[in-house]
Amino acid sequence: MLNWEKIMEDRSNVENQHRRNFMIGAGALGIAPLLLSACQKSDDDHAKKPDSTPGSAANLRRRLGPLEVYPIGLGVQWNPGSGQAVNDLYASSTDRASGIALIRRAVDLGVTLFDTAEVYGPFLSEDILGEALQGIRDKVVVSTKFGFDVDPATGERRGSTNSRPDHIRQVVDAQLRRLRTDRIDLLYQHRVDPNVPIEDVAGTMKDLAAQGKVLHYGLSEPGLQTVRRAHAVHPVAAIQNEYSMLWRGPEAQVLPLCEELGIGFVPWSPLGMGFLAGTVSARTGFREGDFRAAVPRFAPDALAKNMALVRLVQGWALRKDVTPAQLALAWLTAAKPWIVPIPGTTNLVHMEQNARAASVTFTAAELGELNKALDAIHIEGERLPPAVMEATAVEAPPKH
């Protein structure tokens, strides 16, 4: 497998040396100052990135249901570590101050959609996001989630789901406090509650919208009929499901349903839990605390077979002069104009690279060729552990 980060580092070192040699010569001729601005412009164009000046990415916008957002969002899914450390699901860490700086840098780059949830932490991710967005809240779209049975005082997870209307209202009031805001732009039911009719949930969303507390709502990993029933009560703004080159299940029924009803689509795990970014090899062993250790498609035998997809992505990334992660994200945004992926990371450089994937495009011929190659690759192993899979595509009970 190609060591992508080493390739990019070597390429950057060579380019920097050429630039230094050229500028030394230019300095001897007395023309170096005239070249500096031109060199900087060339660098920015070559990187295919929006300028970091706030507002410069205004032309890179797309519809997400009733919302208008930057084509790439940011997932904030962090759990407490020791001291000030915060960890993601894949054994990557940062600290609270760095996490806040990462979020604010994303805003500088034009990112407008920030996705989190009550259960991430629990409470920690919402709290960090709320602190990070102080003073810039009106520039962004905040999405969060309810739906698990979490003790509102201690954060203890008390079992399965809880979407009873009184519980939803209690959760929303607590979320508003943690997020330090007067409204949630997009609130998802994290998983369908098999004990609560979706009409009750959608009706609660409608009431919260009338109060101005929740502007729009969505569903995560829902059953198809549940979407239709919810939409009939109060319009669903977005569906959030896993979707990437590694898991293309939504293409069969969910994306057509979104298109039919005018619902936006938000892929979670758009980089296949890091797999598509080129950070996983056939020999990778997942450490304790890494969610992928329990995922069947990352088991040793399956992982070795699935490396064919990594090789395809890396080959196309070299061809397009982008990172593998940028290639994978751009493929998602090219699929439909109302798809907005939300890659999560604790790494500032990776976040910046992901955000700049908004400027990567494909010709129709390229996209057709890439999709044909993807169709020929069989992915081995289920996408989630059995217990987690049981909570997907659930249909809510009927309303009596």
Side-chain angles (χ1 to χ4, degrees):
M1 186 180 72
L2 294 171
N3 185 331
W4 182 259
E5 292 190 354
K6 183 65 165 58
I7 289 173
M8 295 302 290
E9 181 181 357
D10 291 345
R11 177 185 293 177
S12 177
N13 289 340
V14 169
E15 291 175 349
N16 287 339
Q17 186 60 52
H18 288 170
R19 185 180 293 108
R20 282 193 294 270
N21 291 342
F22 179 69
M23 291 305 294
I24 289 170
L29 294 173
I31 60 172
L34 301 177
L35 295 170
L36 288 173
S37 62
C39 287
Q40 182 61 51
K41 183 178 186 303
S42 176
D43 288 346
D44 291 347
D45 291 344
H46 176 72
K48 301 186 179 74
K49 64 185 180 183
D51 190 271
S52 60
T53 304
S56 64
N59 61 325
L60 291 172
R61 291 288 186 273
R62 59 176 48 204
R63 299 300 300 182
L64 180 67
L67 298 162
E68 185 178 77
V69 296
Y70 189 74
I72 307 293
L74 177 66
V76 181
Q77 186 177 8
W78 298 334
N79 299 302
S82 60
Q84 287 291 305
V86 293
N87 306 326
D88 66 11
L89 289 181
Y90 313 122
S92 179
S93 297
T94 186
D95 58 67
R96 185 184 181 96
S98 297
I100 289 170
L102 184 148
I103 291 167
R104 294 185 71 89
R105 173 59 176 156
V107 176
D108 289 342
L109 290 173
V111 175
T112 54
L113 178 62
F114 292 84
D115 183 273
T116 189
E118 172 197 35
V119 79
Y120 299 161
F123 308 156
L124 176 69
S125 294
E126 288 181 332
D127 185 58
I128 291 176
L129 182 61
E131 181 177 349
L133 295 178
Q134 288 302 288
I136 51 176
R137 169 65 182 91
D138 291 341
K139 296 181 178 181
V140 303
V141 170
V142 172
S143 69
T144 188
K145 309 176 195 73
F146 70 90
F148 289 107
D149 196 8
V150 178
D151 187 302
T154 67
E156 177 189 0
R157 293 187 60 165
R158 298 182 290 201
S160 59
T161 53
N162 186 347
S163 285
R164 297 191 309 273
D166 59 337
H167 182 73
I168 294 173
R169 294 187 181 96
Q170 183 181 38
V171 169
V172 166
D173 286 342
Q175 290 176 317
L176 291 171
R177 289 193 296 270
R178 286 191 293 270
L179 290 165
R180 309 182 193 193
T181 185
D182 61 348
R183 81 280 185 194
I184 297 168
D185 299 296
L186 178 56
L187 179 65
Y188 294 95
Q189 183 186 40
H190 209 152
R191 290 295 184 271
V192 172
D193 190 328
N195 299 308
V196 179
I198 197 64
E199 290 81 2
D200 292 351
V201 175
T204 304
M205 295 297 103
K206 188 174 182 178
D207 292 344
L208 290 168
Q211 297 171 32
K213 293 181 178 181
V214 174
L215 303 189
H216 308 283
Y217 83 109
L219 304 172
S220 181
E221 298 282 350
L224 298 176
Q225 293 309 310
T226 294
V227 176
R228 291 187 181 278
R229 290 164 53 197
H231 196 68
V233 175
H234 189 59
V236 175
I239 298 296
Q240 184 174 141
N241 280 22
E242 182 180 7
Y243 183 39
S244 71
M245 289 178 170
L246 186 60
W247 169 247
R248 297 173 63 187
E251 293 173 357
Q253 294 181 294
V254 177
L255 294 185
L257 179 62
C258 288
E259 193 149 36
E260 174 192 342
L261 300 179
I263 297 172
F265 187 81
V266 175
W268 65 263
S269 195
L271 299 178
M273 303 181 189
F275 186 75
L276 299 170
T279 59
V280 176
S281 76
R283 298 176 299 278
T284 297
F286 299 104
R287 295 179 290 172
E288 183 179 355
D290 192 320
F291 178 73
R292 293 170 294 187
V295 176
R297 67 189 178 198
F298 291 108
D301 290 347
L303 191 58
K305 296 176 182 177
N306 293 337
M307 293 312 296
L309 177 57
V310 171
R311 292 190 290 271
L312 175 67
V313 172
Q314 290 179 331
W316 269 86
L318 286 171
R319 174 173 167 178
K320 295 287 289 181
D321 194 22
V322 297
T323 70
Q326 288 172 331
L327 191 285
L329 293 170
W331 176 81
L332 284 169
T333 59
K336 299 290 182 181
W338 33 266
I339 289 179
V340 182
I342 47 168
T345 182
T346 60
N347 184 297
L348 180 64
V349 172
H350 292 169
M351 182 281 294
E352 292 176 340
Q353 291 172 343
N354 292 344
R356 288 164 180 154
S359 299
V360 179
T361 60
F362 298 93
T363 65
E366 285 176 332
L367 200 57
E369 182 184 349
L370 177 53
N371 284 334
K372 184 177 180 180
L374 288 169
D375 289 341
I377 295 176
H378 170 73
I379 299 301
E380 190 77 18
E382 290 288 343
R383 68 184 181 105
L384 292 168
V388 183
M389 280 292 291
E390 289 177 3
T392 66
V394 171
E395 299 289 1
K399 173 75 171 177
H400 295 300

